[in-house]
Amino acid sequence: MKINVHLTPLSADELYFTGKTTVVIDVLRASTTIITALQNNAKEIIPVATVEFAVKVSGGMFGGQTLLGGERNTKKIEGFALGNSPFEYSEEIVSGKSVILYTTNGTKAIMKAKFSADLFVCAFINVSSLARHLAELNKDVEIVCAGRSNNFSMEDSVCAGKLISEIEKLNENVTITDSAIASRALSKSFGKSIFKMMKETEHGKILIENGFEEDIKYASKLNSTDVIPYFTGNVLKLMQVEQMAVESSAEEVQTD
Ligand code: MLT
């Protein structure tokens, strides 16, 4: 399997992802928040690329079962029920609900990769679980770092590198591109203290200025969950480890 990393979403257009296996990473904070919402039993997350579209979609949905969430410049958008802090997506608030989510970089990157055959969302909190799934899938993987305003961001690239190292431990047939080698090297250098690394990033500093240091701490908890969001029918749903085991044994039976 070959692994490639897009250090910013600019390095490919939408059609590039057609039929590919893709992972989108926006550690601070969209990926971390999406994973948390699904862990807390949100029915689904509907990622959107514009605020206008978020409002339009919410207009056509059943009121009480739908929440509008997201941020502009890290702050909750006027008229939205939720911002983009993972702590806002508690079980009490999101259980059984559809969440329409707009974020400056993360949901845009997800929508850019929407033509992928398989599309997953990754953050530090679920990296090992996703690595196991990808190593088993044994398909080429495109990792998209959401970055900031189409620029490189350290935390997404370090997370990409961590994901690659974990896959390499489980699958002997991995080859990696130059950008993947660079991400893995960054992860080896800066991934030992994830919280410290993230506090010093551009986005980390902005979050701290806006009172979200606890979000960074939460996002730095490596492998705190097994949940994997996957994109299907224009929404992100929870793929559980047990479900993956059942699916892969069903595939084995079919190919026998
Ligand atoms: C984004 O998508 O740009 C981020 O999730 C922004 C944020 O920290 O809320």
Side-chain angles (χ1 to χ4, degrees):
M1 72 190 278
K2 185 174 170 184
I3 307 179
N4 182 37
V5 176
H6 299 265
L7 294 169
T8 80
L10 267 192
S11 66
D13 61 16
E14 285 188 356
L15 291 180
Y16 173 88
F17 295 101
T18 308
K20 303 228 157 90
T21 297
T22 306
V23 174
V24 174
I25 301 178
D26 183 15
V27 175
L28 295 176
R29 294 168 291 174
S31 307
T32 305
T33 296
I34 289 167
I35 295 162
T36 303
L38 290 173
Q39 185 182 19
N40 288 333
N41 297 324
K43 184 178 163 217
E44 61 197 6
I45 310 292
I46 306 170
V48 294
T50 65
V51 173
E52 292 68 31
F53 195 63
V55 174
K56 197 171 159 190
V57 174
S58 71
M61 292 190 83
F62 187 56
Q65 297 308 312
T66 308
L67 293 168
L68 260 178
E71 56 70 42
R72 253 192 196 134
N73 303 321
T74 77
K75 295 193 183 71
K76 187 164 92 172
I77 300 163
E78 212 186 313
F80 279 34
L82 304 169
N84 192 28
S85 167
F87 293 109
E88 291 177 86
Y89 292 74
S90 64
E91 178 144 27
E92 210 180 14
I93 304 284
V94 300
S95 183
K97 305 267 170 67
S98 299
V99 180
I100 302 163
L101 188 69
Y102 167 84
T103 72
T104 316
N105 303 286
T107 58
K108 278 188 200 152
I110 293 167
M111 292 319 286
K112 189 165 197 182
K114 63 179 180 281
F115 296 133
S116 304
D118 296 299
L119 171 52
F120 305 100
V121 171
C122 180
F124 286 114
I125 62 172
N126 75 342
V127 76
S128 274
S129 172
L130 182 55
R132 280 197 298 278
H133 182 55
L134 294 171
E136 265 177 40
L137 262 186
N138 201 27
K139 290 186 181 160
D140 294 350
V141 177
E142 301 286 332
I143 303 176
V144 182
C145 297
R148 291 193 64 232
S149 308
N150 290 325
N151 286 312
F152 175 87
S153 81
M154 184 72 166
E155 66 279 9
D156 294 343
S157 304
V158 170
C159 185
K162 185 80 194 149
L163 180 64
I164 293 163
S165 299
E166 293 293 308
I167 296 170
E168 283 178 323
K169 283 186 205 157
L170 301 165
N171 187 318
E172 291 170 350
N173 301 315
V174 176
T175 56
I176 64 176
T177 61
D178 286 1
S179 52
I181 293 171
S183 303
R184 193 182 55 185
L186 282 177
S187 164
K188 294 224 158 93
S189 303
F190 294 95
K192 288 183 192 87
S193 174
I194 296 169
F195 182 45
K196 184 171 180 292
M197 176 274 295
M198 293 214 283
K199 279 199 296 186
E200 284 164 13
T201 62
E202 289 173 59
H203 196 62
K205 284 180 188 156
I206 292 169
L207 286 173
I208 290 169
E209 270 166 34
N210 285 285
F212 293 116
E213 183 163 344
E214 284 304 308
D215 289 15
I216 304 177
K217 195 182 272 178
Y218 175 85
S220 66
K221 284 187 189 142
L222 192 62
N223 301 322
S224 59
T225 176
D226 273 347
V227 309
I228 300 173
Y230 74 103
F231 190 73
T232 174
N234 285 324
V235 302
L236 288 159
K237 295 210 177 221
L238 173 68
M239 177 181 258
Q240 276 169 326
V241 173
E242 302 76 40
Q243 184 186 340
M244 293 184 309
V246 171
E247 278 173 12
S248 60
S249 57
E251 271 170 32
E252 275 164 31
V253 170
Q254 274 171 11
T255 49
D256 278 348

